[in-house]
Amino acid sequence: MAGTYTFRVNGREVSTNEDKKLIRFLRDDLHLTSVKDGCSEGACGSCTVIADHKAVRACIKQTSEMAGKEILTCEGLTGREEEAFVYAFGKVGAVQCGFCTPGMVMSAKCCIDQNPSPTEEEIKAAIRGNLCRCTGYQKLVEGIHLAARILRGEEQVDRTLEEGADSGIGTSAFRRDVRAKVTGRGIYPDDIYLKGMLHASCVRSLYPRARVKKIDCAQAKKLPGVVAILTAGDVPNNKVGHIEQDWDVMIAEGDMTRCVGDALALVVARDIETLKRAKAMVDVTYEPEVPIRNWREAARAEAPKIHERGNLCQSRHVTRGNARKALAESAYTVTETFSTPFTEHAFLEPECAVAFPYRDGVKIYSTDQGAYDTRKEVAIMFGWEPERVVVENTFVGGGFGGKEDVSVQHIAALAAYHCGCPVKVKFSRPESIDFHPKRHAMEGTFTLGCDKEGNFTALDCDIYFDTGAYASLCGPVLERACTHAVGPYCYQNTDIRGYGYYTNNPPAGAFRG
Ligand code: FES
């Protein structure tokens, strides 16, 4: 729809000629970064704003729909409202990673505006479209009740709590970052807008196991606004990996993909729309092959090798006493097999990094669970001393283990160093789910023995991991599974064997708990 769309944002009149997603206008044009982009498809509520007294998700509204409306974001809260929410959310512990928090605050404000004394049911209904992956909803409901009481004048803000003068052992501390997170002023990498910043994203494999016959970038390179398209040959050392460097930065022509989402070409463009169009113009010719779908298929003698050294990625053997003898002498034994599936972390903030040339290397703003590991991996990719890479962590919008491996950081660094400009790389939600390691799918067969009184005598077990396409943290997690297989019980005789196999599934790695 062509035209000029005029509306008010936080009390100020604004206009745009572009009919685009409201979230893109608020974030990219007005830099109102409290409006968080968690999914871009109306599922998570992180981008909730108030439009004409209604809570709406900015990622599913167009600027044309806003014409004549009054929009409010966290940046437009009154001082009194801001103090009430900061104090209330901080006091009850309703803020953790904070990525969901500004959207939650806007839904809560809308609810309190409609009824200054909302019931628990009304509060729950108000935030039902806002997902929180860290905190749990009970504290949020308590925080909104408290904010409402403060706004009604029934309770006072106690500033000493935020100052932390009385906090210590045995007291409930007020997080230092509550104010930044509640007001939306805290910085995550996607909130960084640098002058001349380019955008980059990878063309990714559609097949879990396919020979890449050709990657044709010729047409895409001609598109105005495309700055560079890099392939495997442009990477100084085409490997990264948290512990073991077995993960190709990009799969080269002639090589085999290992999972859906493997990177094939890195497109760098001046803006996000050009980036999307250019990616669609990269023409990849595949020769698909039957993928290895689980550890049983990977363990077959005739299975094709996913990595040169074979499909057994890691193994562990943990023993104590003599389990075989103790089981043979036990009054009772039982054998059962258990399995658990891959599990997705579902952190609210998709992976994002901003990198730029810095001194004789690069600097990366990252949402990271291990800045030093990221530095190490990026340095390995460039073939540099680690000192040439500087990683600065911003806020991290949830990780739970899923942000231990590099995902966007090395790609942003590569593009920034190649182009000599700042570059932002941000995953879409589907890209995030395809790419970052999951909790391992596991299968374990356990034999337990006990004496006549029911005291455990021995445990014997085999645990099999599907570690997917790359090692990630297969070794440490397998070790954890083996050493924890006994649970909290006292055994004097154990024999625990663990095996982690490569498959053509998404990689598996760290996951809390
Ligand atoms: Fe809600 Fe992290 S605090 S998603």
mmCIF file of all heavy atoms in Angstrom, residues 365-386:
data_model
loop_
_atom_site.group_PDB
_atom_site.id
_atom_site.type_symbol
_atom_site.label_atom_id
_atom_site.label_comp_id
_atom_site.label_asym_id
_atom_site.label_seq_id
_atom_site.Cartn_x
_atom_site.Cartn_y
_atom_site.Cartn_z
ATOM 1 N N TYR A 365 30.752 -7.951 19.600
ATOM 2 C CA TYR A 365 29.749 -7.829 20.653
ATOM 3 C C TYR A 365 28.872 -9.060 20.530
ATOM 4 O O TYR A 365 28.291 -9.318 19.473
ATOM 5 C CB TYR A 365 28.892 -6.574 20.475
ATOM 6 C CG TYR A 365 29.612 -5.290 20.806
ATOM 7 C CD1 TYR A 365 29.829 -4.323 19.835
ATOM 8 C CD2 TYR A 365 30.065 -5.051 22.106
ATOM 9 C CE1 TYR A 365 30.487 -3.140 20.142
ATOM 10 C CE2 TYR A 365 30.722 -3.871 22.418
ATOM 11 C CZ TYR A 365 30.926 -2.927 21.435
ATOM 12 O OH TYR A 365 31.578 -1.767 21.740
ATOM 13 N N SER A 366 28.777 -9.786 21.620
ATOM 14 C CA SER A 366 28.177 -11.112 21.512
ATOM 15 C C SER A 366 27.221 -11.380 22.661
ATOM 16 O O SER A 366 27.329 -10.790 23.730
ATOM 17 C CB SER A 366 29.313 -12.140 21.530
ATOM 18 O OG SER A 366 28.797 -13.418 21.487
ATOM 19 N N THR A 367 26.295 -12.308 22.427
ATOM 20 C CA THR A 367 25.401 -12.776 23.475
ATOM 21 C C THR A 367 25.860 -14.190 23.781
ATOM 22 O O THR A 367 25.408 -15.146 23.198
ATOM 23 C CB THR A 367 23.923 -12.663 23.056
ATOM 24 O OG1 THR A 367 23.139 -13.477 23.908
ATOM 25 C CG2 THR A 367 23.667 -13.050 21.621
ATOM 26 N N ASP A 368 26.795 -14.274 24.672
ATOM 27 C CA ASP A 368 27.690 -15.410 24.770
ATOM 28 C C ASP A 368 27.650 -16.085 26.116
ATOM 29 O O ASP A 368 27.524 -15.428 27.128
ATOM 30 C CB ASP A 368 29.115 -14.831 24.636
ATOM 31 C CG ASP A 368 29.911 -15.554 23.611
ATOM 32 O OD1 ASP A 368 30.081 -16.747 23.794
ATOM 33 O OD2 ASP A 368 30.345 -14.898 22.645
ATOM 34 N N GLN A 369 27.849 -17.386 26.139
ATOM 35 C CA GLN A 369 28.020 -18.064 27.432
ATOM 36 C C GLN A 369 29.494 -18.253 27.763
ATOM 37 O O GLN A 369 29.816 -18.794 28.816
ATOM 38 C CB GLN A 369 27.301 -19.407 27.405
ATOM 39 C CG GLN A 369 25.794 -19.236 27.505
ATOM 40 C CD GLN A 369 25.082 -20.541 27.688
ATOM 41 O OE1 GLN A 369 24.401 -21.000 26.797
ATOM 42 N NE2 GLN A 369 25.255 -21.158 28.846
ATOM 43 N N GLY A 370 30.382 -17.865 26.849
ATOM 44 C CA GLY A 370 31.809 -18.029 27.133
ATOM 45 C C GLY A 370 32.632 -17.159 26.207
ATOM 46 O O GLY A 370 33.054 -17.590 25.140
ATOM 47 N N ALA A 371 32.878 -15.916 26.635
ATOM 48 C CA ALA A 371 33.577 -14.968 25.759
ATOM 49 C C ALA A 371 34.968 -15.493 25.378
ATOM 50 O O ALA A 371 35.419 -15.318 24.245
ATOM 51 C CB ALA A 371 33.690 -13.618 26.456
ATOM 52 N N TYR A 372 35.644 -16.170 26.319
ATOM 53 C CA TYR A 372 36.999 -16.642 26.016
ATOM 54 C C TYR A 372 36.985 -17.816 25.041
ATOM 55 O O TYR A 372 37.887 -17.969 24.221
ATOM 56 C CB TYR A 372 37.755 -17.000 27.305
ATOM 57 C CG TYR A 372 38.148 -15.752 28.052
ATOM 58 C CD1 TYR A 372 37.358 -15.253 29.085
ATOM 59 C CD2 TYR A 372 39.280 -15.032 27.682
ATOM 60 C CE1 TYR A 372 37.698 -14.079 29.738
ATOM 61 C CE2 TYR A 372 39.633 -13.867 28.325
ATOM 62 C CZ TYR A 372 38.830 -13.390 29.358
ATOM 63 O OH TYR A 372 39.164 -12.222 29.993
ATOM 64 N N ASP A 373 35.953 -18.664 25.133
ATOM 65 C CA ASP A 373 35.834 -19.758 24.161
ATOM 66 C C ASP A 373 35.551 -19.199 22.771
ATOM 67 O O ASP A 373 36.085 -19.682 21.775
ATOM 68 C CB ASP A 373 34.721 -20.724 24.574
ATOM 69 C CG ASP A 373 35.163 -21.602 25.727
ATOM 70 O OD1 ASP A 373 36.250 -22.188 25.632
ATOM 71 O OD2 ASP A 373 34.431 -21.673 26.726
ATOM 72 N N THR A 374 34.713 -18.177 22.711
ATOM 73 C CA THR A 374 34.424 -17.553 21.416
ATOM 74 C C THR A 374 35.698 -16.957 20.835
ATOM 75 O O THR A 374 35.996 -17.125 19.644
ATOM 76 C CB THR A 374 33.339 -16.469 21.580
ATOM 77 O OG1 THR A 374 32.138 -17.123 21.967
ATOM 78 C CG2 THR A 374 33.100 -15.694 20.299
ATOM 79 N N ARG A 375 36.471 -16.289 21.690
ATOM 80 C CA ARG A 375 37.730 -15.715 21.213
ATOM 81 C C ARG A 375 38.640 -16.818 20.658
ATOM 82 O O ARG A 375 39.206 -16.676 19.577
ATOM 83 C CB ARG A 375 38.436 -14.974 22.350
ATOM 84 C CG ARG A 375 39.797 -14.473 21.930
ATOM 85 C CD ARG A 375 40.331 -13.428 22.854
ATOM 86 N NE ARG A 375 41.049 -14.015 23.947
ATOM 87 C CZ ARG A 375 41.977 -13.369 24.654
ATOM 88 N NH1 ARG A 375 42.263 -12.123 24.375
ATOM 89 N NH2 ARG A 375 42.579 -13.947 25.647
ATOM 90 N N LYS A 376 38.720 -17.913 21.404
ATOM 91 C CA LYS A 376 39.587 -19.024 20.967
ATOM 92 C C LYS A 376 39.131 -19.558 19.604
ATOM 93 O O LYS A 376 39.935 -19.710 18.682
ATOM 94 C CB LYS A 376 39.529 -20.145 22.021
ATOM 95 C CG LYS A 376 40.346 -21.372 21.651
ATOM 96 C CD LYS A 376 40.037 -22.548 22.564
ATOM 97 C CE LYS A 376 38.768 -23.242 22.150
ATOM 98 N NZ LYS A 376 38.366 -24.358 22.976
ATOM 99 N N GLU A 377 37.835 -19.804 19.459
ATOM 100 C CA GLU A 377 37.339 -20.407 18.211
ATOM 101 C C GLU A 377 37.500 -19.468 17.016
ATOM 102 O O GLU A 377 37.855 -19.897 15.918
ATOM 103 C CB GLU A 377 35.875 -20.814 18.371
ATOM 104 C CG GLU A 377 35.701 -22.005 19.291
ATOM 105 C CD GLU A 377 34.291 -22.546 19.242
ATOM 106 O OE1 GLU A 377 33.839 -22.941 18.165
ATOM 107 O OE2 GLU A 377 33.631 -22.556 20.304
ATOM 108 N N VAL A 378 37.225 -18.187 17.254
ATOM 109 C CA VAL A 378 37.355 -17.224 16.155
ATOM 110 C C VAL A 378 38.822 -17.093 15.757
ATOM 111 O O VAL A 378 39.161 -17.030 14.567
ATOM 112 C CB VAL A 378 36.734 -15.860 16.552
ATOM 113 C CG1 VAL A 378 37.034 -14.799 15.497
ATOM 114 C CG2 VAL A 378 35.228 -15.998 16.737
ATOM 115 N N ALA A 379 39.714 -17.096 16.749
ATOM 116 C CA ALA A 379 41.154 -17.006 16.449
ATOM 117 C C ALA A 379 41.613 -18.235 15.662
ATOM 118 O O ALA A 379 42.396 -18.118 14.707
ATOM 119 C CB ALA A 379 41.948 -16.864 17.743
ATOM 120 N N ILE A 380 41.107 -19.403 16.022
ATOM 121 C CA ILE A 380 41.464 -20.634 15.281
ATOM 122 C C ILE A 380 40.993 -20.503 13.835
ATOM 123 O O ILE A 380 41.710 -20.854 12.894
ATOM 124 C CB ILE A 380 40.846 -21.883 15.968
ATOM 125 C CG1 ILE A 380 41.589 -22.174 17.275
ATOM 126 C CG2 ILE A 380 40.873 -23.098 15.041
ATOM 127 C CD1 ILE A 380 40.951 -23.241 18.143
ATOM 128 N N MET A 381 39.775 -19.992 13.652
ATOM 129 C CA MET A 381 39.246 -19.845 12.288
ATOM 130 C C MET A 381 40.137 -18.924 11.441
ATOM 131 O O MET A 381 40.381 -19.187 10.263
ATOM 132 C CB MET A 381 37.820 -19.281 12.344
ATOM 133 C CG MET A 381 37.200 -19.050 10.973
ATOM 134 S SD MET A 381 35.650 -18.161 11.074
ATOM 135 C CE MET A 381 36.205 -16.514 11.454
ATOM 136 N N PHE A 382 40.634 -17.838 12.063
ATOM 137 C CA PHE A 382 41.489 -16.908 11.309
ATOM 138 C C PHE A 382 42.945 -17.379 11.247
ATOM 139 O O PHE A 382 43.734 -16.836 10.476
ATOM 140 C CB PHE A 382 41.461 -15.515 11.962
ATOM 141 C CG PHE A 382 40.238 -14.691 11.611
ATOM 142 C CD1 PHE A 382 39.327 -14.318 12.584
ATOM 143 C CD2 PHE A 382 40.023 -14.270 10.296
ATOM 144 C CE1 PHE A 382 38.218 -13.532 12.262
ATOM 145 C CE2 PHE A 382 38.913 -13.486 9.972
ATOM 146 C CZ PHE A 382 38.014 -13.125 10.953
ATOM 147 N N GLY A 383 43.321 -18.340 12.112
ATOM 148 C CA GLY A 383 44.731 -18.733 12.204
ATOM 149 C C GLY A 383 45.557 -17.671 12.911
ATOM 150 O O GLY A 383 46.723 -17.450 12.589
ATOM 151 N N TRP A 384 44.935 -16.987 13.904
ATOM 152 C CA TRP A 384 45.573 -15.875 14.606
ATOM 153 C C TRP A 384 45.924 -16.279 16.038
ATOM 154 O O TRP A 384 45.386 -17.244 16.571
ATOM 155 C CB TRP A 384 44.620 -14.683 14.716
ATOM 156 C CG TRP A 384 44.279 -13.979 13.452
ATOM 157 C CD1 TRP A 384 44.889 -14.098 12.235
ATOM 158 C CD2 TRP A 384 43.223 -13.023 13.291
ATOM 159 N NE1 TRP A 384 44.271 -13.266 11.336
ATOM 160 C CE2 TRP A 384 43.250 -12.600 11.955
ATOM 161 C CE3 TRP A 384 42.262 -12.485 14.156
ATOM 162 C CZ2 TRP A 384 42.355 -11.659 11.447
ATOM 163 C CZ3 TRP A 384 41.364 -11.554 13.654
ATOM 164 C CH2 TRP A 384 41.420 -11.141 12.306
ATOM 165 N N GLU A 385 46.741 -15.426 16.676
ATOM 166 C CA GLU A 385 46.888 -15.484 18.122
ATOM 167 C C GLU A 385 45.573 -14.968 18.724
ATOM 168 O O GLU A 385 44.970 -14.024 18.172
ATOM 169 C CB GLU A 385 48.042 -14.584 18.592
ATOM 170 C CG GLU A 385 49.408 -15.091 18.197
ATOM 171 C CD GLU A 385 49.695 -16.472 18.766
ATOM 172 O OE1 GLU A 385 49.412 -16.697 19.956
ATOM 173 O OE2 GLU A 385 50.184 -17.335 18.003
ATOM 174 N N PRO A 386 45.101 -15.548 19.834
ATOM 175 C CA PRO A 386 43.809 -15.124 20.415
ATOM 176 C C PRO A 386 43.737 -13.633 20.709
ATOM 177 O O PRO A 386 42.651 -13.037 20.675
ATOM 178 C CB PRO A 386 43.710 -15.945 21.711
ATOM 179 C CG PRO A 386 44.643 -17.081 21.518
ATOM 180 C CD PRO A 386 45.714 -16.654 20.559
#
